[in-house]
Amino acid sequence: MRLSELPCPDPAAQAASRALAERLEAELRMQGNWISFARYMELALYEPQYGYYAAAGAQFGRSGDFVTGPELSPLFARTLARQVAALLQPGDAVLEFGAGSGALAAHLCDELVALGVGGYRYLILETSRVLRERQRERLGARVQWLERLPEGFRGIMLANEVADAMPVHALTWTRSGIAERGVCVNEGELAWCERPAAAEVLAAAQEIAIDLPPSGRYESELPLAAPAWLRSLGTALEHGAILVIDYGFPRHEYYHPQRSMGTLMCHYRHRAHADPFFYPGLQDITAHVDFSALARAAAESGLDLLGYAGQTQFLVNCGITELLAAEDHADIARYAPLAASAQTLLSPAEMGELFKVLAVGRGIDQPLLGFAQGDRSQSL
Ligand SMILES: C[S@@+](CC[C@H](N)C(=O)[O-])C[C@H]1O[C@@H](n2cnc3c(N)ncnc32)[C@H](O)[C@@H]1O
């Protein structure tokens, strides 16, 4: 996709992006004209006034920039509710991270009612103030919002497409070593600039085995924030499970020789492209999740690995096909879009295979419904 093919933002959006670019440039001046890509991504997505998720612009759903599983189909949350219901114990809470438009919470709570499950609290921890407001409008008193991670949490933590939105470092491997791809201003424009990797980044990068392609250059991302986040969840979890759902791979696939351009992806009005400097603040920037790094982080905070599977396998194990079969086939206006959305969630060519579900936890003895068949924990 050429950038000239992307739709042009309206003048107000362009002005907001310009304001964010000026903040970025001010920080670059203070930092000697270089910041890590992780810092750039943090500001582009979360700068409190103009960052993509902080500003009113972050749009989910068909009319926005991208569609997530819960946005696409109520079947996603209804199926996940079956796993949540099987795990919930008296006095437990459900804690959702990064609830976006609130679609998952809304459908999941409805389905728990339908399953006769009650007596739990549904909590949301959302970093974006604007999204918190949007969630409040949709969910009202059914949910409580937290400002920070609770201590001694008992219950189920859920994070759908949150880990991919956490800042990553960008690196280049060549025959002469590992360099960090950061951001600078070059000829008046934000641009990539390489320099030797900082000690902490270098140490983590040196643990990764990279097969250099014939070109002698391999670019990829190093996600450090997501594992750190999972470690903090592990510390907060006294009893229960954490389900992380996202697109990504185990480490050996993440750094596969054929993926020599990395996994960084930008989304703007349903167009995917690879330029993170296109209108900062107006587009989503993501990187795939290294699920091996998440599993390791969980183990470091004393959590057990409860399961790892592709989204298709997890949803089928939890009963998505039975849920769809129970719908009224004669009601074509309702059934046809529901069946089409199930197809997108499950098809290996769409979300079914790229998206994975990782479950880790503490004090859970029973096998999890979602991993009854096709558990791929061994691949992590
Ligand atoms: C791609 S959206 C996904 C939204 C929603 N989960 C869905 O599936 O539709 C990422 C969400 O994660 C939030 N977020 C990012 N980092 C977070 C963090 N450390 N804690 C909580 N929320 C976070 C963003 O504000 C946003 O709501």
Side-chain angles (χ1 to χ4, degrees):
M1 158 87 43
R2 287 209 303 272
L3 290 182
S4 57
E5 293 169 16
L6 294 173
C8 193
D10 65 40
Q14 288 190 34
S17 179
R18 188 63 231 145
L20 180 60
E22 279 164 15
R23 292 198 180 181
L24 284 158
E25 285 157 17
E27 174 149 339
L28 280 162
R29 276 194 298 280
M30 276 172 23
Q31 301 296 334
N33 198 24
W34 193 91
I35 55 173
S36 70
F37 185 73
R39 176 65 180 153
Y40 173 78
M41 190 167 163
E42 185 184 342
L43 290 168
L45 296 183
Y46 304 109
E47 195 276 339
Q49 197 173 355
Y50 299 113
Y52 178 73
Y53 284 110
Q59 294 296 340
F60 302 87
R62 292 179 200 283
S63 61
D65 298 311
F66 55 86
V67 181
T68 62
E71 292 291 334
L72 179 75
S73 175
L75 287 172
F76 182 91
R78 289 183 60 202
T79 309
L80 185 58
R82 280 158 164 67
Q83 177 64 86
V84 171
L87 282 167
L88 268 181
Q89 296 190 358
D92 273 0
V94 177
L95 169 53
E96 184 184 350
F97 293 87
S101 72
L104 178 64
H107 296 303
L108 203 136
C109 290
D110 285 348
E111 192 64 15
L112 288 177
V113 171
L115 291 170
V117 177
Y120 66 92
R121 285 179 309 147
Y122 199 103
L123 311 169
I124 291 180
L125 187 52
E126 168 61 68
T127 44
S128 158
R129 189 181 47 76
V130 172
L131 289 177
R132 264 199 311 270
E133 285 315 310
R134 247 186 249 175
Q135 293 158 14
R136 230 184 279 279
E137 279 167 26
R138 179 167 189 174
L139 301 164
R142 300 161 91 186
V143 167
Q144 284 168 267
W145 283 264
L146 302 182
E147 293 295 327
R148 63 189 68 82
L149 259 180
E151 284 175 22
F153 178 84
R154 298 182 70 89
I156 324 296
M157 297 180 177
L158 302 172
N160 186 65
E161 290 203 40
V162 178
D164 71 82
M166 294 190 181
V168 294
H169 290 266
L171 299 175
T172 306
W173 284 259
T174 62
R175 291 192 182 87
S176 53
I178 302 171
E180 184 165 1
R181 303 170 75 215
V183 179
C184 63
V185 173
N186 189 9
E187 297 182 358
E189 304 278 346
L190 291 166
W192 289 107
C193 284
E194 284 186 12
R195 76 178 199 186
E200 181 208 8
V201 173
L202 185 62
Q206 280 169 336
E207 289 183 12
I208 303 168
I210 298 288
D211 273 343
L212 286 182
S215 68
R217 185 179 170 88
Y218 188 94
E219 289 177 2
S220 193
E221 293 75 47
L222 180 67
L224 294 181
W229 163 79
L230 195 58
R231 267 192 295 276
S232 68
L233 268 52
T235 307
L237 183 70
E238 188 177 289
H239 182 276
I242 305 171
L243 293 171
V244 178
I245 308 169
D246 223 312
Y247 39 94
F249 314 105
R251 177 159 284 194
H252 66 277
E253 283 180 49
Y254 197 99
Y255 298 104
H256 191 278
Q258 283 175 358
R259 201 163 281 116
S260 63
M261 298 301 285
T263 70
L264 207 62
M265 191 60 71
C266 307
H267 295 103
Y268 180 66
R269 302 207 203 150
H270 291 281
R271 272 81 160 183
H273 67 95
D275 183 357
F277 309 125
F278 174 81
Y279 288 111
L282 300 192
Q283 63 168 357
D284 193 23
I285 306 175
T286 79
H288 286 37
V289 172
D290 174 355
F291 279 101
S292 302
L294 289 189
R296 191 165 119 182
E300 283 163 3
S301 42
L303 300 178
D304 303 316
L305 178 56
L306 303 177
Y308 173 70
Q311 177 167 290
T312 306
Q313 188 72 66
F314 179 85
L315 293 176
V316 168
N317 287 342
C318 291
I320 191 169
T321 39
E322 289 81 359
L323 277 175
L324 186 60
E327 292 289 329
D328 178 3
H329 297 212
D331 182 354
I332 293 293
R334 183 179 144 79
Y335 184 77
L338 208 54
S341 67
Q343 161 75 9
T344 308
L345 290 175
L346 298 177
S347 160
E350 302 206 53
M351 298 173 87
E353 182 49 35
L354 180 59
F355 281 70
K356 312 290 190 313
V357 184
L358 172 74
V360 293
R362 197 187 302 285
I364 303 287
D365 300 326
Q366 75 204 77
L368 266 60
L369 177 67
F371 306 98
Q373 290 188 30
D375 186 351
R376 288 195 245 156
S377 295
Q378 298 300 333
S379 69
L380 290 171

